Amino acid sequence: IQTKEGLTVNADEGIQFRIDPNQANILFQTYRRGIDEITDAALRTAVRDSLNRLSSTMTSDMIYGQGRVELIEKATEAIAKEFVSKGIVVE
């Protein structure tokens, strides 16, 4: 991810999610792929995009310090909002 100062910060990203069984048909109609492919493509891209967008407003000191929790919470919230209507519940 890139910081406000233009520095590159390496981050191991991870996400915990589940499929809403009542919306599984919507998920597979939307992507027409298996869950591994959805995870590796759409979900991973969304996580990276969200982290990059949010980190670009923060300094490296903020990311490595007190702002890290805020960055994770905001990214999780954004990803959860994006995918809940598609049947993926981000935890």
Side-chain angles (χ1 to χ4, degrees):
I1 57 178
Q2 292 248 329
T3 66
K4 183 177 179 178
E5 309 103 342
L7 299 172
T8 300
V9 175
N10 293 321
D12 289 327
E13 53 194 47
I15 190 165
Q16 186 173 341
F17 67 92
R18 64 181 170 82
I19 306 303
D20 180 348
N22 298 323
Q23 292 185 311
N25 60 336
I26 294 170
L27 176 66
F28 293 107
Q29 287 174 3
T30 301
Y31 293 104
R32 300 204 182 272
R33 297 190 173 160
I35 193 63
D36 290 335
E37 293 168 306
I38 294 168
T39 302
D40 289 341
L43 201 52
R44 182 166 297 186
T45 300
V47 170
R48 286 182 181 157
D49 289 349
S50 181
L51 287 171
N52 272 319
R53 184 176 34 78
L54 292 166
S55 68
S56 68
T57 64
M58 303 172 79
T59 65
S60 57
D61 288 342
M62 291 171 68
I63 292 172
Y64 282 119
Q66 63 191 17
R68 183 175 66 152
V69 172
E70 179 184 352
L71 174 64
I72 293 168
E73 287 175 352
K74 284 184 177 181
T76 302
E77 183 180 319
I79 296 161
K81 283 182 184 178
E82 180 179 347
F83 283 94
V84 71
S85 65
K86 298 172 185 172
I88 296 177
V89 179
V90 175
E91 299 171 344

